[in-house]
Amino acid sequence: MMVLNSQDDVPIAGPAKVRSSSSPPSDQAPFQEQEVLSWDVAMGPRKEGWQRLTMLPPTMARLALNGVGTVGAVAGYTVGKCGEALGAGKAIDSPAFQASFRAWMWANGIFPEVQYEPLGEEMGKFVAQELGLARPPAASDISITPVLVSNHVSVLDGLVLASTFSAPKVVAKSKCKHIPMLGKLMKESDAVFVDSGKSDSRHTTLDAIVGHCREWQPGQRPLLIFPEGTMTNGHEVVDFKKGAFVAGLPVRPTIVVYTGHFDPANTTYKMTDRGPRKVGPVEWARQFWGHYIHSVHVRVLPPYFPSPEEKAYPQIYAKNCQELMASELQRVRSELYKRSWQQSAGRTGGGMDYQCGDEVRTASRHLSSFFASLGCFGREC
């Protein structure tokens, strides 16, 4: 199992301990005796106790809006197909479909924001030289590397990044071809399908990735890969598999951070007042439908060009990229917190986004700081 470097056990209140380990909990051991991997525990906010009573209105609103959003997405795709028939390019690349897909996301309360970190003059010139471009590319151009690599937190990641990056290629199981609508969209985005039922599926996947990288040209659709191979709580980046790096070509690192009042991490456990507790897909779905807004920040880093050693040894390439992204994740989370309502209001709970009453809490903190600076805080002036 892929984890960060082993650390000493960190005791957590309750019957289970959270630790980093390469050994999964035994299925035969009682839960009270199991040790839980730290990255496999959702640490963010969820509605508990009496707060669950407030989940009904968002659920009803989501049901209504999802229907409207789905109709809009189908209409946008239909318009895109008409344009495709007239030679205007693929339907999924059409402005009509992309706008309708974003509208469907908004109807489900998913609001991504994307920030591209500047390439800088030196990096821009280097990229242009490596790719044979006439001038340095824009930081927002995601077609300057054959592969995008991202940390993996939730099943929402694929939707968020597909919307953000206008449907990049993905590696998918061959049976996904037959999923209504989704399979068709994946085919149109030139998804790389792999038969996971075969004994050599891992080698087939690696061959498919290498094949994409060899055929890729600047300006073409990149391949999106989640190199962790699992979903984490979004606070850590665990060890990468080598698949995204075997071709020895540059990758574009991307960081995903959820900032809303529901932590959508698809982990095995969630943290409670009594320690880690298992959470299933039904509970996750209830929480998703029971919140109005699911905001997410996508930070796109400059391209990572491998050194000669990294080109020769994919394991080293994967390790170095993982360490970079783990460090960048902490930086991005810190930046988001410092400019968040949570920090401004001095809240310890909830998400980073605005929560009712935050403006009052913020004003109170500013007044307290003002009086403290005058030396009369806590006593008559």
Side-chain angles (χ1 to χ4, degrees):
M1 184 174 290
M2 300 170 297
V3 297
L4 295 173
N5 294 332
S6 298
Q7 300 174 353
D8 294 335
D9 289 351
V10 181
I12 298 293
K17 291 191 297 182
V18 175
R19 71 182 181 95
S20 292
S21 168
S22 58
S23 301
S26 170
D27 292 335
Q28 298 179 349
F31 179 68
Q32 288 79 3
E33 298 177 4
Q34 292 181 4
E35 291 181 321
V36 181
L37 299 173
S38 60
W39 55 262
D40 200 22
V41 182
M43 308 296 290
R46 299 190 180 194
K47 290 183 178 179
E48 304 290 352
W50 66 267
Q51 292 180 328
R52 289 176 177 268
L53 298 175
T54 67
M55 294 170 66
L56 182 58
T59 299
M60 300 302 294
R62 187 76 67 247
L63 285 170
L65 291 172
N66 189 57
V68 175
T70 300
V71 171
V74 172
Y77 180 73
T78 302
V79 172
K81 291 300 288 184
C82 292
E84 183 178 334
L86 296 173
K90 291 187 176 181
I92 60 170
D93 294 326
S94 69
F97 174 72
Q98 292 182 10
S100 64
F101 183 69
R102 283 193 295 272
W104 178 85
M105 297 268 287
W106 297 340
N108 282 276
I110 305 171
F111 291 89
E113 69 164 6
V114 60
Q115 179 178 338
Y116 295 89
E117 301 220 327
L119 301 183
E121 183 178 355
E122 192 171 320
M123 170 62 81
K125 290 180 179 179
F126 177 77
V127 172
Q129 180 180 354
E130 288 292 308
L131 300 181
L133 303 177
R135 54 179 173 273
S140 59
D141 186 354
I142 54 94
S143 64
I144 56 176
T145 62
V147 174
L148 305 173
V149 291
S150 173
N151 62 317
H152 203 6
V153 180
S154 170
V155 293
L156 301 179
D157 297 348
L159 294 173
V160 168
L161 296 180
S163 173
T164 301
F165 299 137
S166 302
K169 288 185 180 181
V170 295
V171 177
K173 296 179 180 179
S174 57
K175 61 183 180 182
C176 292
K177 297 180 187 178
H178 309 295
I179 300 176
M181 193 62 184
L182 178 61
K184 189 171 183 61
L185 292 176
M186 294 176 73
K187 289 179 183 178
E188 292 197 15
S189 67
D190 302 319
V192 178
F193 292 102
V194 176
D195 188 351
S196 59
K198 294 184 178 179
S199 58
D200 62 344
S201 61
R202 178 175 296 183
H203 295 292
T204 303
T205 303
L206 292 178
D207 290 342
I209 294 172
V210 172
H212 160 80
C213 291
R214 286 176 177 170
E215 296 174 1
W216 177 88
Q217 296 293 326
Q220 293 182 344
R221 201 185 306 273
L223 179 67
L224 171 63
I225 298 178
F226 298 106
E228 292 168 294
T230 187
M231 287 178 278
T232 72
N233 61 9
H235 291 261
E236 302 180 39
V237 178
V238 299
D239 291 348
F240 284 175
K241 292 184 177 181
K242 67 179 182 179
F245 311 95
V246 290
L249 295 178
V251 299
R252 191 77 182 266
T254 302
I255 302 293
V256 175
V257 178
Y258 289 88
T259 58
H261 295 291
F262 163 54
D263 178 6
N266 288 106
T267 53
T268 307
Y269 304 92
K270 67 176 180 179
M271 184 57 69
T272 69
D273 294 338
R274 294 183 297 169
R277 290 293 183 274
K278 280 191 174 181
V279 59
V282 174
E283 169 63 15
W284 186 94
R286 287 173 180 166
Q287 293 284 340
F288 174 78
W289 286 78
H291 288 74
Y292 285 110
I293 304 296
H294 307 288
S295 52
V296 53
H297 179 87
V298 178
R299 183 71 63 89
V300 184
L301 306 179
Y304 186 117
F305 282 80
S307 66
E309 181 185 35
E310 290 170 328
K311 291 179 181 179
Y313 299 98
Q315 294 89 343
I316 296 177
Y317 188 2
K319 180 177 182 295
N320 291 343
C321 189
Q322 182 271 332
E323 290 177 350
L324 168 72
M325 291 182 63
S327 174
E328 292 295 272
L329 172 63
Q330 300 309 316
R331 176 179 67 84
V332 171
R333 291 189 65 89
S334 176
E335 289 179 4
L336 293 175
Y337 174 74
K338 288 177 181 178
R339 69 189 196 207
S340 70
W341 274 105
Q342 184 182 29
Q343 191 278 336
S344 179
R347 285 189 285 107
T348 56
M352 296 186 197
D353 287 353
Y354 172 80
Q355 183 173 298
C356 184
D358 275 350
E359 66 277 7
V360 176
R361 299 183 189 97
T362 300
S364 176
R365 293 188 75 207
H366 286 320
L367 286 173
S368 297
S369 298
F370 173 72
F371 286 121
S373 67
L374 296 178
C376 59
F377 181 72
R379 68 176 187 275
E380 293 184 3
C381 296

